[in-house]
Amino acid sequence: MANLSSTAANVRRGANSTPRRGVAGATIAPCDVIYLDPGDQTLKLADANSGAAGDAIRKFRGIAVNGASSGQDVDYVSADDDFTPGATLVPGTPYFMSSTPGKLCELADLAAGATVTFVGIAKSTTKLRVAPAAGGEVPA
């Protein structure tokens, strides 16, 4: 499976996005896809194999902007018209939550049986419009 390979130093939120903050419940890298664990209210790595159908969408919270270890603050965006993932994108291509925890991939690269969770679409080779599927668990 070909996940996006992100360069941490190049990950940036768009100027018009609203940054969010939470506490990491695992080691999180910039550009990792995260969810809120309802048990301990911490942010953890989301993946397309996270349980029953629809569970991955319910758990999607956003994409990390910075790295953090468990117990540290992590900033993230849940929607962003101009997100820079620090990876080379294919313009016009949709990206999804990967079967690999925390990662993004193209639809063809999802593992068989994975829950399909749309995260965003590439605006250019460097910009991703983060716009999760309706019904996802995103902050109010």
Side-chain angles (χ1 to χ4, degrees):
M1 173 172 21
N3 295 313
L4 283 186
S5 180
S6 183
T7 301
N10 297 336
V11 175
R12 302 275 185 273
R13 69 180 185 85
N16 294 323
S17 69
T18 302
R20 311 280 185 184
R21 178 169 284 178
V23 176
T27 299
I28 296 172
C31 199
D32 276 350
V33 179
I34 55 177
Y35 76 96
L36 180 67
D37 183 330
D40 62 10
Q41 296 297 301
T42 62
L43 298 167
K44 297 180 179 173
L45 302 177
D47 69 77
N49 297 324
S50 61
D55 194 41
I57 293 171
R58 181 186 65 78
K59 290 186 174 183
F60 177 84
R61 191 65 164 197
I63 302 179
V65 177
N66 66 292
S69 295
S70 187
Q72 294 181 321
D73 288 342
V74 61
D75 295 327
Y76 65 95
V77 294
S78 57
D80 189 338
D81 283 338
D82 212 27
F83 183 74
T84 303
T88 301
L89 306 171
V90 178
T93 300
Y95 287 88
F96 300 84
M97 189 179 336
S98 173
S99 298
T100 304
K103 301 306 175 195
L104 290 168
C105 68
E106 293 181 26
L107 184 60
D109 294 321
L110 274 174
T115 301
V116 177
T117 305
F118 175 79
V119 174
I121 191 162
K123 293 173 54 175
S124 70
T125 58
T126 60
K127 299 290 184 175
L128 182 70
R129 177 177 289 125
V130 178
E137 183 182 90
V138 294

